Amino acid sequence: MFAGIAGTYDRANSVLSMGVHHRWRTRTVRESGAVPGSAVLDCATGTGDLAIEYKLRVGVGGRVVGTDFCAEMLAFAPAKAAQRGLDIAWDVQDAMALTYPDDSFDVASIAFGIRNVDDPVQALRSMGRVVRPGGRVAVLEFGTPLWWMKPFFTFYSRVIIPLIGGLVSGRRDAYEYLTRTSAAFPTGDAFVALMRQAGVFDVCRVIPLTGGIAYLYIGTVR
Ligand SMILES: C[S@@+](CC[C@H](N)C(=O)[O-])C[C@H]1O[C@@H](n2cnc3c(N)ncnc32)[C@H](O)[C@@H]1O
């Protein structure tokens, strides 16, 4: 499915989120604890937007690796980074079975990806394994909006997202999938329960973004 929408993914993202996704990414980087010089792994990076945001933060002394299991999505990332003069490594990897050595990153992240993996707990465990103790795993994902945002977002996600996403990508089914899976995915404490099940985090934090349209989860690795 992601291979089928790869070419239109960025345009659809910008239109559908009205650019707000950039603010969510900036917040993710800030809360992840990444600093200049950090080593960061972005899983399910897609076309690389979050990896790019991390590279801007960690600078030339830092290291960013962007990974995805869908080579067609990843294919758009290197040119985007190169255009901005950013040196980022790209690698085809399954988030549930990362092949990097233990403790090889300060931060691992996944944006709008954890909802798509077959086994979220396994992906969290795999990400926790490659992050050093005290480092952080950052998860950005859609969730259940807070009560005051719910009426607007229910309409927006059921009607506007499939309509506009379908028009931009020619794949209405992919945007129906987005709406359906977002509504069904564990939010807030329910997602923290999955983080705890992974057994690799000491502390877990939840930060609702834009009235709970998206949520940021930060786990500190044990
Ligand atoms: C909605 S896109 C998000 C892309 C990007 N992180 C972003 O924020 O725009 C979801 C991505 O998850 C990837 N994905 C799904 N399951 C995966 C897995 N098990 N391992 C790695 N990537 C996966 C898909 O290939 C797709 O690129």
Side-chain angles (χ1 to χ4, degrees), residues 164-180:
I164 305 294
L167 285 174
V168 174
S169 68
R171 288 288 304 265
R172 189 185 165 99
D173 61 317
Y175 288 87
E176 284 168 348
Y177 165 88
L178 163 65
T179 298
R180 195 173 59 247

Side-chain angles (χ1 to χ4, degrees), residues 47-193:
T47 59
D49 278 0
L50 185 57
I52 287 171
E53 201 63 47
Y54 268 115
K55 187 61 187 175
L56 293 172
R57 174 79 181 137
V58 305
V60 284
R63 180 168 68 97
V64 176
V65 183
T67 64
D68 200 287
F69 78 166
C70 175
E72 290 86 347
M73 285 287 279
L74 205 53
F76 289 88
K80 282 167 65 178
Q83 210 171 31
R84 304 180 68 165
L86 299 173
D87 181 17
I88 299 174
W90 306 102
D91 197 5
V92 175
Q93 290 260 337
D94 187 333
M96 295 181 295
L98 296 165
T99 60
Y100 304 105
D102 292 0
D103 307 342
S104 46
F105 295 94
D106 300 302
V107 171
S109 59
I110 185 163
F112 310 111
I114 198 79
R115 172 175 43 88
N116 299 299
V117 305
D118 286 341
D119 183 347
V121 173
Q122 179 52 33
L124 290 167
R125 201 172 286 136
S126 171
M127 292 167 74
R129 182 187 65 75
V130 301
V131 169
R132 63 163 171 81
R136 292 182 191 163
V137 170
V139 179
L140 177 61
E141 191 50 87
F142 292 114
T144 307
L146 305 178
W147 66 269
W148 53 269
M149 179 60 90
K150 218 169 187 166
F152 162 75
F153 194 69
T154 302
F155 172 76
Y156 191 77
S157 64
R158 288 199 189 146
V159 178
I160 306 294
I161 290 179
L163 179 70
I164 305 294
L167 285 174
V168 174
S169 68
R171 288 288 304 265
R172 189 185 165 99
D173 61 317
Y175 288 87
E176 284 168 348
Y177 165 88
L178 163 65
T179 298
R180 195 173 59 247
T181 52
S182 299
F185 196 69
T187 293
D189 289 346
F191 186 77
V192 168

